[in-house]
Amino acid sequence: MHAQAPALRDPRLNHPEPFTPPLGDGGFFQRDRSMHPPAHAPGYKSSVLRSPRQALLSLENSDSEITGPVFGHNDLGALDNDLIRNYAKDGDPVGERIIVHGRVLDETGRGVPNTLVEFWQANAGGRYRHKKDTCLAPIDPNFGGCGRALTDDTGYYYFRTVKPGPYPWRNYVNSWRPAHIHFSVFGSGFAQRLITQMYFEGDPLIPVCPILTTIPDKDALERLVAPLDLNASAPFDSLAYRFDIVLRGQRSTYFENRTAGN
Amino acid sequence: MPQPLNYLKETASQTAGPYVHIGLIPAMAGFDIFEKNFSNVLVTPNTQGERITLEGKVIDGSGTPLRDVLLEIWQANAAGRYNHSADRSTGALDEEFRGWGRAGSDFESGLVTFETIKPGAIIDKTGRKGAPHINVWIVARGINIGLNTRLYFSDEEAANAADPVLNLIEQPVRRSTLIAKRSECAGKIVYSFTINLQGPEETVFFDV
């Protein structure tokens, strides 16, 4: 805790009392749930039995919600953000080599520094390294399919991988997921916790995916589609895709001498 | 025209899917990749506080346990303080307690367990004392946006009765869905919970 900042005086008043703006509480901006997929989205069949029927109870944020776990470089290994090498046994994985990079921001546009970003995906043929995946495409002996990174002081993260393939799944008889990478992001408070999926520019499976189209807001859906970023590619090595992630913004805690918000 | 407020929009949520373990608990997916893994054990030998086991299931609208669900918990230490710079309480920090853990349900039984400590009571910003509780976040196939709930403790009746969040729940009968039941089993303190996603005894979920 640093020293108390001096209170502002309203210069219009020749009065000894300081001018004190209303106290913010450091809570997060209310989540706009009209932009997120609804819990009950029957086109994605497994949501039917797994969605609450009662309304959510809205909660003003207390310390329980504005705080959250803190991670450091001690939690990570040197190859954690390199999926080309972090499971390599006797060579590189097969597939299109890509760099995925971007910033984790909050709704006010500030970078979210030192936050944990985790990602997982299928291999180039659309097969997951998971004991429950029985899809026909083979496992790649040199590809695990997961990684993680801490954002830097500006909220920037990056990792290297191969582009995942689409895969079939049991929803309708002929449902295929677009190529995608799953993302898990923490932010600074537990109420910012988010899991989402990144898709790739130009994929024709995007508009027919029963999971992706649970998102009612067209713009929100398009923000999950990462554009090709030729400027960030590594010539004769890897193409690049850019994926920025926005977490909830936070109200200021005026004159409370806390790091939250401003 | 007024000037537009140029806030960004939050990134939309998507389901964690059935293979969430690959990224978040690779050992459950069936392979080992990271030097250090996150787990459902929140305590070290030096953590302060009463050791407890949380043990429960997440149940779908047909009464069937989810066997591919992933839970994370976030809680204060034994002195009621969160290990985070934004905590405003006066309780002492415990360097040996991060306060966070994650667990996948067993692929056969659906059972989810955590090894942790019982958190202390939380003093909110107005000075009101909140009952000890654990914040829970639930993701799985079929869950489009993570569900937030809380676990309270059955042996904290007086504190629970005065808790400002439990008292926000209009129907007293629904408050009981958040109370984990204490028992002792082979010298271990176990709190059992059931999270019902849907139906007559549906758990209270929060828009935090």
Side-chain angles (χ1 to χ4, degrees):
Chain A
M1 285 286 173
H2 49 79
Q4 177 94 26
L8 288 182
R9 284 173 192 280
D10 185 335
R12 295 167 299 182
L13 300 173
N14 182 19
H15 192 277
E17 287 301 309
F19 166 72
T20 311
L23 200 65
D25 63 0
F28 292 102
F29 301 166
Q30 180 172 293
R31 188 165 247 164
D32 179 0
R33 287 184 179 265
S34 71
M35 210 184 60
H36 289 282
H40 180 253
Y44 173 29
K45 294 183 182 182
S46 51
S47 76
V48 172
L49 283 175
R50 294 182 169 203
S51 44
R53 289 295 179 274
Q54 304 293 323
L56 302 179
L57 180 63
S58 292
L59 208 54
E60 295 143 71
N61 287 175
S62 67
D63 284 1
S64 289
E65 290 78 32
I66 67 172
T67 62
V70 177
F71 301 95
H73 289 282
N74 287 342
D75 291 308
L76 274 61
L79 292 179
D80 281 6
N81 70 339
D82 188 352
L83 281 66
I84 299 274
R85 288 167 64 208
N86 70 5
Y87 201 76
K89 302 299 180 196
D90 59 4
D92 286 349
V94 173
E96 292 179 45
R97 296 159 68 90
I98 58 169
I99 292 160
V100 177
H101 74 135
R103 287 181 75 202
V104 179
L105 305 163
D106 77 6
E107 288 166 309
T108 69
R110 282 183 290 234
V112 182
N114 309 314
T115 199
L116 185 65
V117 183
E118 299 166 290
F119 20 87
W120 68 99
Q121 62 170 92
N123 69 23
R127 175 72 184 267
Y128 281 103
R129 185 177 287 279
H130 191 291
K131 58 171 103 168
K132 299 287 180 189
D133 187 1
T134 53
C135 151
L136 293 176
I139 288 279
D140 181 334
N142 293 310
F143 191 69
C146 62
R148 49 201 189 179
L150 278 182
T151 59
D152 71 9
D153 291 346
T154 69
Y156 183 74
Y157 76 91
Y158 67 96
F159 62 97
R160 183 164 75 151
T161 186
V162 295
K163 188 178 174 187
Y167 63 85
W169 59 297
R170 294 198 175 278
N171 191 65
Y172 303 117
V173 167
N174 198 19
S175 294
W176 293 75
R177 294 304 323 279
H180 63 277
I181 300 177
H182 296 265
F183 276 74
S184 153
V185 194
F186 279 83
S188 61
F190 205 49
Q192 285 175 304
R193 193 78 179 83
L194 183 74
I195 277 184
T196 188
Q197 301 180 30
M198 179 199 112
Y199 301 89
F200 292 85
E201 176 182 0
D203 188 336
L205 288 168
I206 287 174
V208 294
C209 173
I211 288 181
L212 185 46
T213 53
T214 57
I215 299 174
D217 181 308
K218 184 170 163 289
D219 293 335
L221 187 155
E222 285 175 357
R223 287 194 297 271
L224 297 185
V225 182
L228 178 70
D229 185 353
L230 275 176
N231 287 344
S233 70
F236 298 99
D237 182 333
S238 300
L239 282 173
Y241 287 85
R242 169 90 186 194
F243 186 51
D244 290 340
I245 298 167
V246 180
L247 303 179
R248 296 166 68 185
Q250 192 162 12
R251 286 191 289 275
S252 302
T253 50
Y254 302 110
F255 304 101
E256 257 198 287
N257 289 319
R258 292 183 43 255
T259 51
N262 289 341
Chain B
M1 284 289 285
Q3 297 177 39
L5 291 170
N6 55 349
Y7 291 107
L8 301 177
K9 303 269 195 191
E10 190 188 10
T11 298
S13 173
Q14 290 270 265
T15 178
Y19 308 127
V20 59
H21 315 91
I22 293 174
L24 305 191
I25 315 178
M28 285 193 71
F31 66 110
D32 183 35
I33 184 164
F34 298 133
E35 290 163 36
K36 294 179 186 171
N37 288 287
F38 301 123
S39 84
N40 62 336
V41 178
L42 285 74
V43 291
T44 73
N46 299 321
T47 302
Q48 304 287 311
E50 180 189 21
R51 268 41 179 184
I52 64 170
T53 300
L54 298 176
E55 201 172 84
K57 292 183 181 180
V58 181
I59 311 289
D60 76 11
S62 76
T64 308
L66 272 62
R67 297 175 301 168
D68 53 9
V69 70
L70 184 139
L71 268 57
E72 290 184 2
I73 60 173
W74 170 242
Q75 64 168 102
N77 68 22
R81 184 179 180 119
Y82 290 98
N83 192 345
H84 188 277
S85 61
D87 181 276
R88 290 167 282 201
S89 71
T90 52
L93 190 65
D94 181 352
E95 300 284 356
E96 294 286 336
F97 190 66
R98 171 142 56 192
W100 171 86
R102 65 165 51 130
S105 58
D106 182 87
F107 287 134
E108 302 303 322
S109 66
L111 195 68
V112 183
T113 62
F114 289 95
E115 302 295 334
T116 185
I117 51 113
K118 192 172 171 192
I122 317 289
I123 313 283
D124 79 8
K125 62 178 187 286
T126 62
R128 283 184 306 183
K129 197 170 176 179
H133 66 273
I134 290 176
N135 305 290
V136 183
W137 184 72
I138 304 159
V139 291
R141 172 176 68 93
I143 296 179
N144 284 324
I145 181 165
L147 293 166
N148 291 87
T149 186
R150 289 180 168 203
L151 291 178
Y152 289 83
F153 301 93
S154 62
D155 56 326
E156 296 282 348
E157 274 184 45
N160 292 343
D163 183 76
V165 170
L166 283 174
N167 282 303
L168 277 180
I169 304 169
E170 183 184 344
Q171 299 83 5
V173 64
R174 298 205 71 214
R175 295 175 196 163
S176 62
T177 65
L178 303 184
I179 314 289
K181 288 181 187 55
R182 181 181 174 110
S183 63
E184 269 191 62
C185 179
K188 277 201 317 188
I189 306 296
V190 177
Y191 286 93
S192 308
F193 65 90
T194 303
I195 293 170
N196 288 301
L197 295 181
Q198 189 187 98
E201 293 179 58
E202 188 171 306
T203 296
V204 173
F205 297 104
F206 297 104
D207 186 11
V208 295

